[in-house]
């Protein structure tokens, strides 16, 4: 079997490793020379992953039996549409279905129209004046969200990224001046966030274990939002700080969203990922993404017994698949360039791969370029290091001395998976629910 994979980050390295379990020939397109993907691909094309013509020309050349797409950019640009129109099987949503992610207004309107639970009070604006007049009238804390793709970095939350209405308005003004043409103002919700991912074909939906992504650049959740600095997953056991029943309710919300899409003649195919907030009133939808999360995909694909290829093939044939997962807890920490989130300063890294392996750590290459015995960082995330254990304590212990195995300048959040941080999350949720 021949498989084409598009994307060159840590998520795509994890997807490639999962696909490879079935022993197919892997072809890949990535914007960077990711050494992890490069070494297991039969051929790797370095090119613009968002360019539909690049994808089509390569697919016509290598004739894949199935195509997987990691990032949102190629979904938004219509890669699925053009490949499908030329007869290729693509386990990813069309650009129309991907509107769940590419337009936050589309998602909010769909949930409102279909009466789907878990929506957040949200209003969209196309100019500064309308938005700032609205802010003057509201009496709650709010979140500013560009309507389109922002790579996880455009959302601004009152209390974290700005203090008051005036500061919020300054951000809005800047966003409109930068050419963002639609912005949502949403009521701020409180609680713990969790990610629920699934594989979908029409009304057929198969869920993956829940994960928590650590979005903020700094330890103790300080600093700017990022694409995700790391994530924890408790496999088949749900996250300890997410109340019982919330995962099922979140699953029902996702199921209703994809079913509403089918009802509207907009069948959803491929991975989907709901980012939820566990609030006092139940799970609320922060956003829906039309792909696997990065790093969330790394946590779950590493625990999934089935390969991503098997999932894609069976689901595209309209068949069901029962997924199961190794009962391990895992913790992923991303190494990023110094200053990542604000002003990244890439440098070069040398990695002792064998040393990491000997410590029981798995390495996932992300947005780096292979240069001989080094990898060159870009402005984005560099390496994902995954550790697992029967307990969370065991999982994080393996990170000890890990830093001796990576030479060069980088930053990594050391609190990701820290049991004392998780205990604080448990306490916070218990207090919130009692109020
Ligand atoms: N982990 C955040 C994202 O994939 O969007």
């Amino acid at each position: 079997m021949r498989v084409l994979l598009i994307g060159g980050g840590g998520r795509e390295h994890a997807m490639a490793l999962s696909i490879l379990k079935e022993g197919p020939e892997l072809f890949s397109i990535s914007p960077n020379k990711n050494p992890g993907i490069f070494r297991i691909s039969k051929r790797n094309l370095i090119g613009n992953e968002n360019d539909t013509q690049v994808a089509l020309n390569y697919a016509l050349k290598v004739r894949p039996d199935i195509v997987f797409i990691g990032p949102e950019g190629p979904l938004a640009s219509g890669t699925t549409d053009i490949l499908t129109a030329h007869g290729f099987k693509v386990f990813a949503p069309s650009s129309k279905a991907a509107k769940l992610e590419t337009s936050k207004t589309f998602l909010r309107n769909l949930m409102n129209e279909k009466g789907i639970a878990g929506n957040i009070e949200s209003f969209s604006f196309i100019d500064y004046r309308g938005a700032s007049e609205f802010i003057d009238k509201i009496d709650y804390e709010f979140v500013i969200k560009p309507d389109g793709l922002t790579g996880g970095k455009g959302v601004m939350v009152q209390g974290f990224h700005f203090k008051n209405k005036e500061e919020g308005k300054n951000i809005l003004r800047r966003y409109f001046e930068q050419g963002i043409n639609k912005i949502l103002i949403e009521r701020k919700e409180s609680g713990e966030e969790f990610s629920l991912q699934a594989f979908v074909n029409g009304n057929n939906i198969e869920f993956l274990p829940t994960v928590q992504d650590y979005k903020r650049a700094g330890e103790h959740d300080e600093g700017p939002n990022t694409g995700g600095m790391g994530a924890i997953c408790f496999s088949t056991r749900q996250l300890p700080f997410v109340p019982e029943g919330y995962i099922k309710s979140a699953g029902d919300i996702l199921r209703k969203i994809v079913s509403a899409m089918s009802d509207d003649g907009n069948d959803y195919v491929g991975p989907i990922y709901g980012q939820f907030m566990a609030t006092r009133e139940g799970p609320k939808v922060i956003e829906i993404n039309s792909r696997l999360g990065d790093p969330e995909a790394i946590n779950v694909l590493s625990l999934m017994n089935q390969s991503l290829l098997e999932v894609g093939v069976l689901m595209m044939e309209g068949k069901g698949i029962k997924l199961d997962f190794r009962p391990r807890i895992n913790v992923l920490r991303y190494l990023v360039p110094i200053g990542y989130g604000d002003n990244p300063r890439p440098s070069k890294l040398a990695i002792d791969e064998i040393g990491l392996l000997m410590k029981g750590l798995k390495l996932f290459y992300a947005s780096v370029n292979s240069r001989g015995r080094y990898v060159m960082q870009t402005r984005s995330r560099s390496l994902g290091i995954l550790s697992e254990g029967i307990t969370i304590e065991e999982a994080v212990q393996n990170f000890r001395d890990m830093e001796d195995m990576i030479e060069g300048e980088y930053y990594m959040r050391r609190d990701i998976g820290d049991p004392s941080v998780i205990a604080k999350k448990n306490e916070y949720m218990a207090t919130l629910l009692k109020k």
Side-chain angles (χ1 to χ4, degrees):
M1 195 168 228
R2 296 158 78 86
V3 178
L4 173 59
L5 171 68
I6 300 178
R11 166 186 45 210
E12 289 75 32
H13 188 190
M15 290 170 78
L17 290 170
S18 177
I19 288 167
L20 260 250
K21 283 201 227 168
E22 299 284 313
E25 286 183 328
L26 179 69
F27 297 86
S28 49
I29 302 176
S30 54
N32 52 314
K33 188 174 174 188
N34 176 319
I37 297 175
F38 183 80
R39 68 170 73 128
I40 56 177
S41 297
K42 187 172 166 72
R43 261 185 264 153
N44 174 230
L45 174 75
I46 308 290
N48 181 351
E49 62 184 359
N50 299 331
D51 187 329
T52 55
Q53 210 53 50
V54 168
L56 178 62
N57 291 342
Y58 199 55
L60 288 169
K61 193 162 149 194
V62 304
R63 292 262 149 219
D65 298 292
I66 185 164
V67 181
F68 293 87
I69 300 175
E72 58 277 25
L75 302 173
S77 65
T79 305
T80 309
D81 313 349
I82 194 164
L83 293 180
T84 307
H86 281 80
F88 294 105
K89 270 193 199 147
V90 186
F91 189 56
S94 64
S95 59
K96 204 169 150 213
K99 273 187 89 179
L100 284 176
E101 173 167 7
T102 57
S103 169
K104 312 292 179 249
T105 311
F106 173 83
L107 168 72
R108 294 293 179 213
N109 290 346
L110 181 85
M111 291 183 72
N112 269 337
E113 277 160 25
K114 308 283 177 176
I116 300 173
N119 210 0
I120 288 176
E121 200 173 310
S122 170
F123 296 90
S124 55
F125 299 91
I126 52 168
D127 60 24
Y128 172 74
R129 195 163 150 216
S132 81
E133 282 174 8
F134 175 76
I135 287 175
D136 284 334
K137 286 191 215 125
I138 56 177
D139 60 358
Y140 51 80
E141 291 201 311
F142 59 99
V143 175
I144 300 170
K145 225 181 229 189
D147 181 64
L149 297 177
T150 61
K153 299 169 195 103
V155 177
M156 296 287 168
V157 183
Q158 187 168 1
F160 292 116
H161 304 106
F162 63 95
K163 284 202 278 294
N164 49 35
K165 290 185 177 187
E166 281 321 302
E167 286 187 14
K169 285 192 209 171
N170 288 340
I171 294 173
L172 271 173
R173 187 180 293 111
R174 210 174 55 235
Y175 275 178
F176 279 116
E177 280 169 6
Q178 283 167 1
I180 295 176
N181 56 16
K182 198 187 272 184
I183 296 178
L184 286 75
I185 310 282
E186 302 197 329
R187 183 188 280 271
K188 178 180 158 187
E189 298 285 345
S190 300
E192 279 295 327
E193 287 189 23
F194 63 96
S195 305
L196 179 61
Q197 305 171 96
F199 298 119
V200 182
N201 188 357
N203 281 313
N204 183 5
I205 180 161
E206 301 291 342
F207 292 102
L208 298 161
T210 43
V211 179
Q212 190 180 54
D213 177 22
Y214 288 59
K215 284 197 138 16
R216 308 286 294 278
E219 298 199 351
H220 312 296
D221 290 331
E222 307 220 320
N225 270 348
T226 67
M229 295 295 293
I232 54 172
C233 177
F234 284 65
S235 186
T236 42
R237 279 173 279 160
Q238 67 181 55
L239 294 164
F241 41 82
V242 176
E244 236 181 292
Y246 276 41
I247 307 298
K248 185 181 171 305
S249 306
D252 289 343
I253 292 170
L254 272 185
R255 197 188 297 283
K256 284 185 185 145
I257 289 174
V258 295
S259 149
M261 300 282 281
S262 289
D263 292 347
D264 290 350
N266 190 7
D267 266 359
Y268 192 98
V269 176
I272 194 165
Y273 134 50
Q275 193 195 328
F276 292 91
M277 175 82 82
T279 72
R280 283 189 67 200
E281 294 86 33
K284 298 260 174 97
V285 175
I286 302 295
E287 59 187 41
I288 299 290
N289 295 314
S290 46
R291 54 184 168 83
L292 290 170
D294 188 354
E296 291 95 324
I298 304 178
N299 295 75
V300 294
L301 292 179
S302 304
L303 295 171
M304 189 169 84
N305 286 324
Q306 291 72 22
S307 78
L308 181 60
L309 179 53
E310 189 185 352
V311 172
V313 167
L314 287 176
M315 291 203 79
M316 294 226 52
E317 285 171 357
K319 295 185 183 147
I321 176 162
K322 173 124 189 44
L323 300 179
D324 51 80
F325 301 85
R326 288 185 299 109
R328 290 287 179 278
I329 292 170
N330 67 19
V331 176
L332 186 283
R333 292 182 184 170
Y334 255 131
L335 272 61
V336 298
I338 304 280
Y340 175 66
D342 271 334
N343 180 23
R345 295 184 294 285
S347 70
K348 71 178 178 189
L349 304 175
I351 301 143
D352 175 2
E353 289 196 12
I354 310 281
L356 290 172
L357 211 63
M358 302 277 283
K359 282 188 67 61
L361 295 166
K362 283 191 194 152
L363 169 66
F364 294 86
Y365 285 98
S367 294
V368 289
N369 283 293
S370 173
R371 294 275 186 280
R373 78 173 202 90
Y374 294 102
V375 296
M376 302 304 295
Q377 294 180 317
T378 62
R379 294 172 61 80
S380 193
R381 295 171 290 187
S382 315
L383 309 173
I385 311 282
L386 185 78
S387 175
E388 67 172 44
I390 293 179
T391 61
I392 189 81
E393 287 79 7
E394 197 180 297
V396 291
Q397 238 168 32
N398 293 340
F399 286 107
R400 229 189 286 143
D401 307 327
M402 177 221 95
E403 288 160 58
D404 298 346
M405 284 153 200
I406 298 171
E407 231 178 79
E409 290 192 349
Y410 61 86
Y411 170 71
M412 178 185 83
R413 274 185 68 168
R414 292 172 183 83
D415 61 338
I416 295 172
D418 180 332
S420 68
V421 175
I422 294 174
K424 282 199 190 115
K425 290 174 190 278
N426 293 343
E427 272 168 40
Y428 166 67
M429 276 311 291
T431 313
L432 185 81
L433 294 175
K434 254 194 246 142
K435 271 188 193 160

